Structure formats: C-alpha cells, structure tokens
C-alpha cells in the first residue's frame, strides 16, 4: 500500500525518489480485463468481425495515463498526460470469453510519475465492459490498480473522453491537484443538464416524479395519479428518462412498448450485467412482461375453472395442472411464442404450470391453517414489520373523524376476556402481552373505491395475546367496510374449531392476510425499500466522486436497484401491470402507497427506532443493542438487531478512519452537497421535515449510512426472499378477495357449510391471478448467479489498510451471526423460529446458495 499522494510528506525529495535518474523514458506494462458486448451470444459473430475490421483499419482502443503528481500548466492545471497506448492482440478468438485479457504498453517518464487516473477512447463500433486496468511496475512505486466496471461506447457518444481513477480514496480537500479537475468534471458529466431524452449509452443521473405509470392515450381506465411533487401524493423521486410527454396529457411521460421493456433507460452502468440479464430472462419474466400479460386473463376467462379443494391446488407443485380443454394450450400458443414460455408454461404433454413446492407446505400440508402459524408469520414471515404492541383498548383510529367518521374499534372486552390466561385487559396491556396487526387506517380511505372493482374486502384489525411460551395466539379479528349508504359496518370474529364457525374464522384470517399481503408488496417492499433507496443512489452518483470514501462505502449497496425499479415502472406497478392484477387495491395501489409515504420518517427506518416506535422494544442501556425486545422470541428482530449492529460497527470503523473530527464532516463539500440534494430533491416532498439529520457530526454520518445500508440489504432481504416460501401457496397468503363474508341463510353460506374448502378457494385470489402471482414471486425470490452478499465485495476496492481490516472483521462477524441463527433455529424452546409449518427462520442468514433458498442478504435491492 502507498501513502495518499496529498500527504505533506510527499515532498520534492520523495517525488524525485519516485523517478528514474535522468528522466529517461521507460515502458510500463499494463493488463486490461474487459468483457465484450456479446460473450453470451454465441450465434452472433457480426459484432466481433466489425471490431476486428476496426482494428485492421487502425480504429483501436487507446488509453492515456494521467499523472497524480505533476500538473500541466498549459492545460488548466490538469495532470500531465502520457502518450496514447493501444490494447494489444484484439482478436475474434476472444469473442466467447467472459473476461478477455489484453496487454497494453505505456511510455513512462518522470513527468508522469505516479499515475492517478487514465483516459480511455474506444474507436470500435461496438461497446465493451471495462473491468480493470493493472499497472504492474510503476517506477519507484510498484503496482497501481484501477477498478472500472463500466461500459465503454464509441468515443463519438461522449463529449469528453472517459476517465477512471486509481483505487485510492480522497476526501475533496485531499485530492491531488493534478486530479482535481478530472474529479469535478466527471461529476458534472454524471449530473447532465436536465434536458433531452436519455439514450442507451448515457450515464446521466437526474430526478423525476412518477408520471410514467399511467397511459392516458389508452383511455381513462389507464390514467393514474402523478406521484411526487404534490402534498396530496408525495413520493420519492425516480430516475429521469427524458421520454417525451403523452399527446393527451403533457404532464404524463409517454411509455415504452412492452417489447422494449428491457431497454428502459437507466444510466448504462446501472443495467443488469449480461449474466444476470440471462438469468433474469431464464426465469420466464421476459415471457410474462412482454407477451403473457396482454392475453393471459382473457384466455382464462374464456375457459374458466376453479380448484375445488386444497388437494386440487397441490397439483400446481406435484406434476402440474391438467389443462381444462384440448384447445386451451393452442389458444395460448396462438398468442404467445412458445420458445419464450418454457419457464412459465413448464408443460409435459397436457400438463403445465408446475412450480417448486413452497416451504410452507413442504413438511405439513395443513399447518399453514393453524392459528399459531397465522400469528407466527407476523413475527417471522415475509412481513414482520407491521405488528405492534397494543397501548390502548379498544384500538383507536388516527383517521380524521371529520373526513372518515368515527372509526373506533368494535372489539369489546367480551370478545377477548376469556382468552387472556386469567388477566384483565388492563393487566395484559400493562404487562405488554397484547398486540395488534392493524391495517385499518391505511385501507379505510380507499376501501369503498377498491370495493367498486372486482375486489370485495375489508380493513382489518387483529388482536393477539402473548402466551407464556413466547408464541402468539389470535384473540379476535375485526373486519370493517363502508356500505353503499356510506355507513361503517364492522364485524368481530373469534377463534372457532368446528362447524361453520371454524370456516368463518378461517375466512376472517384470510381477509387479514389479503390486507397484509397487499400492504407488504406495496409498502413494506416496494415503497420502503425499492422506492426510498433510489433518490440516495441518484444523489450519490451526482454529488460524490468515485474517489470519495462514502461513495466507496455505499456503492455496493446500490447495485441493480435503479434498473429493477425502472422495470417495475414498466410492467409491475404501472396501470394494468402485474401488481395491479394480483394485489387487492388494484388500480389504487400506487396512489395508496403515496398517502402512506406521508408518514415515512428517515430516522425511524433504523431497526432499533422502528421497534421502539411500534412498541416492540423499549430502551435499555444494559442490553447488547441498547433496547430490550417485548417479545424475546421475535426472529426478525432478534436476527435483525445482530445484523444491524454489525453494519453499524463496520460503518463506524470506516467513517472514523476518514473523518477524525466533526469539523471534517462539516467542511466536506461533496458530502454536504450529497446530503442536501438527497433531502431537497430526492425526497423533495419531505424537504421541510424537521427530523432530517443535519449532517454536521460524525455520528450523524454513521447513522445515515447505516440506515441506507440496512434498508438496501437486510431489510429488503427480510421482506423479499420469504415471498415464495410463504406466498407461493396462495391459501396461506392470498393477495385478493373477491366476495364478502357469507351471511347466514344465503347460498354462499350453505356452500360454506357443505364444502368449506371450495367456499374458501372461491373467496380468495382467482386461479389466473394466482398463477401469475406465483410466477412473479418465484422469480423475485430467486438469487441469481452473480449475486454479491453482505460482507462480500470485489477485491482491490481500496488501498487503505484499516478499512480493509474493518471490512474483514465485518465479514467474520456476519459468519458468526449466521452460526448463531442456525443454533437458535434448533432450540425447541424458541417456538417462533420454526413453527407448526416447520420453516426455520433463515431470511436474515447472510449467505446463500443460488436459486430459491429462503435465505441470504444481497448487498443491494437487486431484484
């Protein structure tokens, strides 16, 4: 390792020492590693031939070293430039290599000294992905390593030659003078000028509102609210694409046709790698996105069929569904190219739609329906971030009564007093043994409109009691709706084990899960991880140089997020997108999430703060993490606090290495611009909130970076990768309900008594949406082959020894946490870690194999 070049001890004598005597010219050998555009496409050699012709004609790839120690006064004080050198040995034979390695020979003399950056110019017609440049023996210094990881297009696409810096780390005021201009110029290039349509090769990061979800030109049914830029519908900002407005509504951005979905703009280096794109397509998502959605539901509607029992539904996982008519597959083939359906339509003769067995029914086909498993999933399922400790009885709504009327709960003491283990309600509240899963206030403002669609559902409140063994049991479920006369109608249901009452209770739990599934997908998952992270990504790339320590800290946690979010806008959360088709709020889904964003508070995204806010923990300085859990066996919180603490320790060690005092935080111009822009532009609808950290101290910097990394890694993992293990079996986590609770003396009630399973299945998510939803969450729950997990990153990311050692300690700590999690899962006294369905809680195990594992914490929101 070598000292920072701005160190005062690098005086004239030290500079001379770094040169050969007499200033003679020497040759420095370098090694370039890159990936050609088409290494995955073995059938198309055209690009390789074109590149070879370019080489023959002298249109090569050139590189120029930039001095980090000597400036060129005649060139505005920029670092001295070396002579251009070219990649050697570009041949067609390297076409199919994933990583192609090339030699390059640079002329070096004392005016270059130690290179701190290089320029690259691509004169080939085709782009390539530049990974690294290594200089093996710089005179007087040794090895210099450049981490690039960027697509390089033909030079005509850039106003300035592309620049890359050595893997040194500098605060702005420490930057060597010869590199200062290049540092600032690169940030200007990434910010752009805020105008024009962005093209494939562009690298510009900018902000926009969510004005691209609707498609007004298709008619009123496809119009959606613009999210962001208003007090009614505030929202985090997304990346700007610059597409032109629609002809009908100049405030709405035009949309790409479905066939161009994968071409949606994000800065070029934010797109999936070719390997991940290949994995992504192989999951069948491309089939869903581009071809299935337009014709899928219509075809099913022409050939309707339902499951009559849970046993029938198990055919989805045990051989596939026999198609309802001989012509059904032909109808699909008429609409959809078969070669693009091999994953989605996994057919074997007359059978199709076969999926992996979800964990929730792998060991026991009926345990999902127990009250204990229903309650356990609030602590260890895919959405363990909503349950809270009950503070008052009956529960009180926070909705404005002048707008929504009286919303006090109708759950009474009579409903629950016999089930409190001899305690009174007051005693149970005082001892922190009453809990609530409350979806009432978030849904009631939209419920009447939602119920005018094909959805028929309720807003739910679920009361639970903490047993002596640490497990939860449901006490009562309140289901509320607004009738045609705008009257609030509430019914309370309590546990039952026999007769029609048992089926009614099972349906009541299903309505709760419908609420929870929709809230999970739209708020806990999309809004609170994907959407809120994107503004920080944009601000980081616009305001923090790649040389900045905080850029290097955060960058691994932003990988692939902008692209997955852009794809979501194109085919998931858009008008008539897959989420609108498969979750109960339908066309009101994103609008509803915007009203919930009003309550988003950045500091409360810290896990300890969130647990305290929900009453699931109390402050206790004697505890390892400074808080004491109210439910000691709360797997998400127990494991999450371990991960949170490990992240916080790593961030603290890292930040304290570069910032020795609070004053260094205050005077860091890039850092202050970053934080100001993230607040005032990225989360601009909340810029006036008093709770934003001021970024004046090291502690504020550590807290903010810990929160960002937590959201992007562990929080997203806990919310995302349990989707298929639990939700891959629709009866366990239905996402829609299509009729209200059957009333006595109706045909629906009689069916409920005579055929309870059929009545249940006719109430929850319909078969077509079930299959579409299962296909989606299977793909979203997979780890792809190029995933990078928490505690891992590419080598040579910095030359500073102390951060490298701190990161190594971080990785080892995560390994210890993983072993601790596995050990807790084997403890029979911890009832909530495995539960009746026998699903060990592994969602916060840091490592994972590839595929559908129900574990693993990727560095970023990458799927």
């Amino acid at each position: 390792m070598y000292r920072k070049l701005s160190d005062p001890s690098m005086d004239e004598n030290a500079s001379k020492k770094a040169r050969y005597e007499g200033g003679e010219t020497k040759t420095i050998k370098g090694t370039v590693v890159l990936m050609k555009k088409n290494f995955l496409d073995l059938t198309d050699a055209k690009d390789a031939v074109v590149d070879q012709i370019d080489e023959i004609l002298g249109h090569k790839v050139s590189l120029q070293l930039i001095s980090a120690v000597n400036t060129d006064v005649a060139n505005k004080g920029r670092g001295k430039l070396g002579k251009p050198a070219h990649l050697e040995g570009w041949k067609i034979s390297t076409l199919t290599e994933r990583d192609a390695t090339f030699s390059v020979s640079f002329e070096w003399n004392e005016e270059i000294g130690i290179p701190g950056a290089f320029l690259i110019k691509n004169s080939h017609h085709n782009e390539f992905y530049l990974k690294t440049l290594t200089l093996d023996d710089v005179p007087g210094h040794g090895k210099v390593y450049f981490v690039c990881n960027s697509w390089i297009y033909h030079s005509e696409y850039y106003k300035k030659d592309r620049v890359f810096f050595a893997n040194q780390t500098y605060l702005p005021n420490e930057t060597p003078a010869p590199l200062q201009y290049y540092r600032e110029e690169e940030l200007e290039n990434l910010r752009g000028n805020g105008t024009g349509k962005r093209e494939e090769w562009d690298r510009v990061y900018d902000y926009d509102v969510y004005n691209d979800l609707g498609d007004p030109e298709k008619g009123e049914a496809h119009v959606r609210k613009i999210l962001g830029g208003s007090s009614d519908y505030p929202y985090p900002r997304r990346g700007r694409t610059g597409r032109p407005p629609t002809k009908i509504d100049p405030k709405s951005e035009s949309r790409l046709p479905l066939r161009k979905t994968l071409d949606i703009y994000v800065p070029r280096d934010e797109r999936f790698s070719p390997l991940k794109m290949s994995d992504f397509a192989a999951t069948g998502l491309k089939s869903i996105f581009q071809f299935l959605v337009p014709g899928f539901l219509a075809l099913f509607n022409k050939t309707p069929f339902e499951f009559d029992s849970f046993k029938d539904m198990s055919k989805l996982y045990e051989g596939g569904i026999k198609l309802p008519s001989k012509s059904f597959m032909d109808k699909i083939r008429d609409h959809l190219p078969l070669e693009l359906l091999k994953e989605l339509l996994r057919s074997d003769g007359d059978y199709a739609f076969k999926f992996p067995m979800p964990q929730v029914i792998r060991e026991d086909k009926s345990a999902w329906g127990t009250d204990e498993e229903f309650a356990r999933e609030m602590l260890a399922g895919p959405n363990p971030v909503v349950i809270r400790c009950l503070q008052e009885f009956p529960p009180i709504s926070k909705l404005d009564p002048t707008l929504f009327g009286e919303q006090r709960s109708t759950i009474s003491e009579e409903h629950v007093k016999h089930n409190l283990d001899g305690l009174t309600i007051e005693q149970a509240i005082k001892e922190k043994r009453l809990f609530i899963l409350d979806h009432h206030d978030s849904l009631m403002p939209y419920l009447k409109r939602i119920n005018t669609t094909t959805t028929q559902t309720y807003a739910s409140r679920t009361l639970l009691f903490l047993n002596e063994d640490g497990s939860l049991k449901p006490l009562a479920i309140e289901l509320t709706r607004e009738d045609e006369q705008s009257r609030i109608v509430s019914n309370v249901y309590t546990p039952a084990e026999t007769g029609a009452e048992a089926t009614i209770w099972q349906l009541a739990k299903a309505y709760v899960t419908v609420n929870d599934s929709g809230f999970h997908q739209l708020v806990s998952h999309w809004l609170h991880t994907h959407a809120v992270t994107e503004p920080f990504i944009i601000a980081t790339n616009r305001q923090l140089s790649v040389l900045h320590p905080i850029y290097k800290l955060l960058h691994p946690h932003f990988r692939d997020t902008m692209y997955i979010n852009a794809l979501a806008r194109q085919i998931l959360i858009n008008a008539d997108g897959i989420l609108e088709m498969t979750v109960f709020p339908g066309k009101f889904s994103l609008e509803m999430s915007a009203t919930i964003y009003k309550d988003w508070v950045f500091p409360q995204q810290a896990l300890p703060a969130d647990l305290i806010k929900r009453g699931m923990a109390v402050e206790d300085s004697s505890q390892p993490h400074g808080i004491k859990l109210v439910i000691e066996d709360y797997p998400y919180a127990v494991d999450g606090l371990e991960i949170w603490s490990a992240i916080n320790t790593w961030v603290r060690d890292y930040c304290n290495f570069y910032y020795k005092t609070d004053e260094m935080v205050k005077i860091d111009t890039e850092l202050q611009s970053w934080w100001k822009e993230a607040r005032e532009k990225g989360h601009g609808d909340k810029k006036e909130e008093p709770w934003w950290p001021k970024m004046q101290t090291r502690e504020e910097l550590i807290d903010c970076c810990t929160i960002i990394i937590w959201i992007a890694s562990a929080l997203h993992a806990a919310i995302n990768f349990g989707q298929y293990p639990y939700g891959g079996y629709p009866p366990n986590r239905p996402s829609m309900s299509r009729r209200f609770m059957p009333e006595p003396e109706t045909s629906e009630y009689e069916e409920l008594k005579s055929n309870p399973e059929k009545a249940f299945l006719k109430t929850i998510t319909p078969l077509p949406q079930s299959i579409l939803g299962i296909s989606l969450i299977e793909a979203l729950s997979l780890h792809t082959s190029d995933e990078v997990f928490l505690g891992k990153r590419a080598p040579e990311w910095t030359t500073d020894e102390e951060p490298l050692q701190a990161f190594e300690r971080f990785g080892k700590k995560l390994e210890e946490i993983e072993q601790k999690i596995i050990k807790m899962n084997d403890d029979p006294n911890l009832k909530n870690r495995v539960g009746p369905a026998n699903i060990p809680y592994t969602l916060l195990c840091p490592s994972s194999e590839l595929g559908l594992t129900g574990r693993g914490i990727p560095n970023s929101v990458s799927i």
Side-chain angles (χ1 to χ4, degrees), residues 541-840:
N541 283 278
R542 285 169 56 87
Q543 299 298 341
L544 296 180
S545 165
V546 295
L547 294 167
H548 198 285
I550 301 305
Y551 178 95
K552 291 179 184 287
L553 173 69
L554 296 179
H555 184 253
H557 304 288
F558 295 155
R559 182 174 183 253
D560 293 341
T561 304
M562 286 190 71
Y563 190 55
I564 199 68
N565 285 2
L567 292 177
R569 299 198 314 273
Q570 180 70 4
I571 44 77
L572 289 180
I573 62 174
N574 59 303
D576 279 353
I578 294 175
L579 280 187
E580 286 197 2
M581 291 184 177
T582 57
V583 297
F584 76 90
K587 66 181 181 180
F588 302 105
S589 293
L590 267 288
E591 179 183 335
M592 190 177 80
S593 76
T595 65
I596 294 170
Y597 175 65
K598 293 177 182 179
D599 296 325
W600 184 80
V601 177
F602 177 75
Q604 290 179 354
Q605 307 314 300
L607 179 59
D610 170 62
L611 293 170
I612 291 170
K613 179 190 72 172
R614 291 189 284 121
M616 301 301 289
V618 293
E619 292 188 38
D620 186 341
S621 59
S622 68
Q623 296 295 309
H625 309 292
I627 62 174
K628 179 178 175 59
L629 293 175
V630 172
I631 300 177
E632 292 183 7
D633 183 17
Y634 182 0
Y636 162 73
V638 171
D639 299 358
L641 285 170
E642 293 281 351
I643 300 293
W644 167 270
S645 180
I647 295 171
N648 183 254
T649 299
W650 150 237
V651 171
R652 183 175 302 278
D653 290 346
Y654 183 87
C655 290
N656 284 343
F657 175 76
Y658 293 103
Y659 297 89
K660 304 303 184 185
T661 65
D662 291 343
E663 185 64 22
M664 292 182 71
V665 173
K666 293 179 184 178
I667 66 172
D668 185 336
T669 54
E670 287 184 8
L671 185 73
Q672 294 302 323
S673 296
W674 167 68
W675 192 242
K676 176 181 174 65
E677 186 170 289
R679 295 187 337 261
E680 297 184 1
K681 290 187 177 181
H683 286 278
D685 297 328
K686 289 184 166 288
K687 64 183 178 182
E688 304 298 337
E689 297 285 0
W691 40 253
W692 282 109
K694 306 302 182 185
M695 200 55 73
Q696 296 295 295
T697 66
R698 292 195 298 171
E699 202 61 35
E700 286 181 319
L701 173 61
I702 291 164
D703 289 346
C704 291
C705 291
T706 302
I707 290 172
I708 292 169
I709 293 172
W710 163 259
I711 291 172
S713 59
L715 179 60
H716 179 259
I719 296 299
N720 183 70
F721 292 103
Q723 290 190 83
Y724 194 82
Y726 289 97
Y729 185 61
N732 185 56
R733 284 192 68 79
S735 60
M736 306 179 81
S737 56
R738 41 192 168 138
R739 63 181 187 180
F740 294 123
M741 186 73 81
E743 298 286 346
E745 301 182 3
T746 63
S747 59
E748 289 85 358
Y749 194 85
E750 292 303 313
E751 182 183 52
L752 178 148
K753 291 194 296 184
S754 62
N755 194 339
E757 288 189 9
K758 186 172 184 178
F760 183 93
L761 292 169
K762 287 175 71 173
T763 301
I764 65 168
T765 316
L767 177 62
Q769 284 89 342
S770 289
I771 292 175
L772 188 56
I774 293 171
S775 301
L776 175 65
I777 64 172
E778 180 194 3
L780 297 184
S781 300
L782 288 163
H783 293 300
T784 56
S785 55
D786 70 343
E787 194 67 86
V788 182
F789 293 95
L790 192 64
K792 310 292 183 184
R793 63 186 300 171
E796 305 281 2
W797 59 275
T798 183
T799 59
D800 293 323
E801 191 62 34
E802 285 189 39
L804 287 171
Q805 292 174 356
F807 188 71
E808 185 178 358
R809 292 194 299 271
F810 176 47
K812 289 180 178 178
K813 181 63 177 177
L814 293 176
E815 291 174 3
E816 293 172 9
I817 293 169
E818 183 162 313
Q819 293 306 310
K820 188 175 181 180
I821 290 171
I822 293 170
K823 185 176 180 180
M824 287 188 291
N825 286 343
D826 290 334
D827 187 344
N829 296 316
L830 300 177
K831 303 292 185 182
N832 299 322
R833 295 209 66 94
V834 175
N838 196 24
I839 308 178

Side-chain angles (χ1 to χ4, degrees), residues 53-74:
I53 293 172
D54 283 333
E55 285 285 312
I56 294 170
L57 295 177
H59 305 153
K60 298 178 179 289
V61 176
S62 65
L63 298 86
Q64 284 181 278
L65 298 180
I66 301 173
S67 175
V69 292
N70 293 310
T71 58
D72 185 349
V73 177

Side-chain angles (χ1 to χ4, degrees), residues 97-167:
E97 298 174 18
R98 180 178 179 185
D99 287 348
T101 301
F102 298 90
S103 295
V104 59
S105 300
F106 295 97
E107 285 189 16
W108 178 92
N109 58 38
E110 63 181 27
E111 289 193 338
I112 296 296
I114 301 175
F118 73 91
L119 299 176
I120 187 167
K121 184 174 183 179
N122 179 16
S123 298
H124 290 180
H125 282 74
N126 296 300
E127 69 272 21
F128 57 84
Y129 187 73
L130 179 64
K131 291 191 170 185
T132 59
L133 166 65
T134 305
L135 304 180
D136 295 318
D137 189 15
V138 175
H141 174 69
K143 177 180 171 184
V144 178
Y145 196 79
F146 300 82
V147 179
C148 307
N149 291 329
S150 184
W151 285 96
I152 310 296
Y153 281 73
H154 191 284
S155 58
E156 69 181 6
Y157 292 119
Y158 304 118
K159 293 180 180 178
K160 303 284 186 178
D161 288 342
R162 296 291 309 278
V163 64
F164 293 94
F165 298 93
N167 61 338

Side-chain angles (χ1 to χ4, degrees), residues 334-345:
D334 288 343
H335 285 74
L336 312 173
L338 188 60
E339 66 273 16
L340 293 175
L341 301 178
K342 61 182 178 181
E343 284 292 322
L344 187 65
L345 307 180

Side-chain angles (χ1 to χ4, degrees), residues 209-216 220-230 232-235 238 249 251-253 255 446 449 569 573-575 580 586-595:
V209 296
Y210 281 71
N211 62 350
D212 61 341
L213 302 178
D215 196 349
E220 186 65 27
H222 293 265
V223 173
R224 295 294 181 270
K225 299 290 186 184
I226 293 173
L227 307 184
S230 71
D232 289 335
Y233 304 106
Y235 223 62
R238 50 95 173 179
D249 178 10
K251 293 182 179 180
S252 294
E253 185 173 277
R255 293 183 55 77
Y446 283 88
R449 282 178 284 172
R569 299 198 314 273
I573 62 174
N574 59 303
E580 286 197 2
K587 66 181 181 180
F588 302 105
S589 293
L590 267 288
E591 179 183 335
M592 190 177 80
S593 76
T595 65

